[in-house]
């Protein structure tokens, strides 16, 4: 089949094919999620166990080691690591890349349930939590909330009203509340009174659990109607708790209020949070897997505005926003890709010196770029810095095939005096095999990126596929659209070299032509000089290559280049055993120093088991 002849004689079919690809790409572009990096699957399952107020040594021997022994038998295992801290144990199970993580998580959960048989019998020991490590679950937004001086009311309001409102936003998977004080009923037992009534602390604990119940009590039938009965025994007031009997002494019932003081208070605070120096609480927002970070952030912002109207006394300050950095990074890549495309068109105009021919070649850039978005959508990819970086790179490669085909068409028009239609068919057929070979050579260069395993391979797979697909579309464009448009748009002399310039643009084209002729002569002279001194040229190339390799150790290596998101994090670790009040005092001093910096807009500080402060700055 004469592909070039078909393209020239069937312009409607070629146009519809291009229109279909562009339309698919345009529609896909509006539906693609926006993120900073491609979605990465890390084959890691974590197991966390909380055992409050227990020393790390105890946790390691009674919790961590049984878990490690249990999960070590899971198939596909790569490495098991653990950490034991005061009050908690964490075990990370890493698997080989390519492992089905859903099945791996189920296997780990099964082994953890077996390991629980070796755990000590302690009501304060919480059940193990097993979850797959997912980078998409990292916070995308952190808000500091202040305005309510009572930490109990603030925490209760965030837990019961604000957090559910934000969780209703599209794309939000969960909202965690940190800081404030959680409401709790404190039962302060007097040991002397317990001994005086011949009771133990276990008696008090058991009776509180036994009395605070809400259980089904069966079904009652009356006539033709059935009723579901529940025994509602949950505590409703502090006085009711004080009146529960906990035992018998000298023939009389002993009430809880006789041996303990029951009061409505809060749990012991082990975490202090502040927003710009004021006591506050934090709202940590995570998005759903695969959700658009930017649109999710916008949806959460709308919910925050609603919450601000409902609770005008509260102040919401944004301490961290991942979407801002993503929008900036993606916008910069888009901006520079557009600039690259414009520069490519200008360079084409400089060398082709013909507006119509430049238009024919330049059309391949938007056609190939827009069509590539269809691949991103079908592949489940996102618009991120890697995929857009691939497009930016491809912009310079897309026009290669079109330039080669168009220049060969010009050659037939000028040398053989063929018509535009005949030159389009003859010129395209003549160079078809060379264009296909050169394009596949470029494609093969990027194929090894698809074979990289692990996290690096997942990141660069989109980059490689975007370049490969865009170049493949440009090949189709060069062998069909270019000859079709050339046969209809190019009617006059290719470079106006045989006619006198008539206007300013043609004079510029003539001037550029003289420059290119001078460049050709200089290159010819340099080539003659190099051919006469082959060994010197080869020796110079070898020396330059060796000198370049000697600089490699000084370059360094890393997975991703350094970036500046405008956020910074300060972590302070105090000596083991330092009181929380002392830690909080040190954090206040650090926070004060940072807030005094005029570049700092928002400072959100936390003092407790995880000492950190996050600031948002205008410039760093």
């Amino acid at each position: 089949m004469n592909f070039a002849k078909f393209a020239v004689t069937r312009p409607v079919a070629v146009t519809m094919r291009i229109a279909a690809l562009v339309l698919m790409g345009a529609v896909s572009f509006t539906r693609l999620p926006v993120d900073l990096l491609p979605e990465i699957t890390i084959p890691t399952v974590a197991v966390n166990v909380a055992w409050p107020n227990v020393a790390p040594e105890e946790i390691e021997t009674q919790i961590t080691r049984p878990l490690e022994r249990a999960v070590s038998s899971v198939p596909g295992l790569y490495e098991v690591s653990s950490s034991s801290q005061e009050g908690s144990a964490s075990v990370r199970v890493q698997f080989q890349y390519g492992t089905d993580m859903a099945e791996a998580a189920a296997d780990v959960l099964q082994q953890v349930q077996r390991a629980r048989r070796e755990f000590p019998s302690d009501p304060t020991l919480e059940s193990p939590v097993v979850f797959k490590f997912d980078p998409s679950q990292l916070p995308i937004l952190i808000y500091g909330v202040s305005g309510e001086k009572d930490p109990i009311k603030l925490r209760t309001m965030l837990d019961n009203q604000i957090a559910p409102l934000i969780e209703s936003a599209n794309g939000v998977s969960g909202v965690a509340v940190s800081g404030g004080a959680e409401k709790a009923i404190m039962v302060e037992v007097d040991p002397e009174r317990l001994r005086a009534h011949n009771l133990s602390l276990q008696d008090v604990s058991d009776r509180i659990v036994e009395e605070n119940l809400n259980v089904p009590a069966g079904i009652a039938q009356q006539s033709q109607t059935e009723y579901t009965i529940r025994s509602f025994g949950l505590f409703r007031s502090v006085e009711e708790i004080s009146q529960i009997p906990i035992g018998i002494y000298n023939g009389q019932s002993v009430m809880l209020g006789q041996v303990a003081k029951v009061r409505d208070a809060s749990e012991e605070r082990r975490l202090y949070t502040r927003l710009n120096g004021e006591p506050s609480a934090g709202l940590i927002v995570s998005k759903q897997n695969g959700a658009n970070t930017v649109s999710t952030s916008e949806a959460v912002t709308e919910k925050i505005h609603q919450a601000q109207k409902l609770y005008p006394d509260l102040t919401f300050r944004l301490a961290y926003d991942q979407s801002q950095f993503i929008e900036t990074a993606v916008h910069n890549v888009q901006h520079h890709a557009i600039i690259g495309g414009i520069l490519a068109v200008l360079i084409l105009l400089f060398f082709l010196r013909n507006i119509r021919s430049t238009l024919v070649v330049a059309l391949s850039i938007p056609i190939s770029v827009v069509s590539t978005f269809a691949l991103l959508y079908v592949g489940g990819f996102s618009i991120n810095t890697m995929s857009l970086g691939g497009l930016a790179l491809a912009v310079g490669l897309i026009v290669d095939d079109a330039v080669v085909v168009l220049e060969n068409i010009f050659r037939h028009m000028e040398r053989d005096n063929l018509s535009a239609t005949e030159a389009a068919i003859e010129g395209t057929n003549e160079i078809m095999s060379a264009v296909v070979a050169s394009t596949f050579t470029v494609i093969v260069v990027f194929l090894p990126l698809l074979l990289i395993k692990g996290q690096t391979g997942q990141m660069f797979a989109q980059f490689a596929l975007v370049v490969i697909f865009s170049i493949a579309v440009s090949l189709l464009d060069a062998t069909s659209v270019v000859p079709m448009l050339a046969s209809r748009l190019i009617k006059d002399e290719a470079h106006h070299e045989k006619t006198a310039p008539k206007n300013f643009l043609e004079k510029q084209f003539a001037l550029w032509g003289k420059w290119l002729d001078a460049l050709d002569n200089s290159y010819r002279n340099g080539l003659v000089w190099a051919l006469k001194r082959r060994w010197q040229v080869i020796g110079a190339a070898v020396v330059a290559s060796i000198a370049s390799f000697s600089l490699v150790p000084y370059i360094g290596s890393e997975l991703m280049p350094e970036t500046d998101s405008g956020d910074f994090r300060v972590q302070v670790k105090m000596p083991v055993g330092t009181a929380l009040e002392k830690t909080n005092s040190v954090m206040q001093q650090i926070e004060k120093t940072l807030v005094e910096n005029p570049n700092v807009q928002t400072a959100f500080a936390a003092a407790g088991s995880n000492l950190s402060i996050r600031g948002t700055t205008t410039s760093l």
Side-chain angles (χ1 to χ4, degrees), residues 156 187 198 210 219 279 330 361 434 450 476:
T156 302
V187 180
N198 197 23
E210 292 170 357
I219 297 176
V330 172
V361 177
L450 302 177
L476 183 63

Side-chain angles (χ1 to χ4, degrees), residues 3 31 43 59 63 124 208 212 227 237 265 267 367 435 443 452 481 491 516 534 574 596:
F3 193 73
R31 301 184 178 183
I59 289 182
I63 303 297
T124 62
I208 292 177
N212 190 39
Y227 298 93
S237 65
E267 294 182 354
I367 290 174
V435 170
I443 290 176
I452 301 176
V481 178
K491 301 298 183 181
L516 293 177
R534 294 182 177 89
M574 302 294 290
E596 291 175 351

Side-chain angles (χ1 to χ4, degrees), residues 473-486:
V473 174
S474 71
L475 174 62
L476 183 63
D477 178 70
T479 55
S480 59
V481 178
V482 169
M484 186 267 291
L485 292 178

Side-chain angles (χ1 to χ4, degrees), residues 33 43 90 185 398 408 419 438 450:
S90 178
I185 304 299
I398 286 171
N408 201 48
S419 65
S438 63
L450 302 177

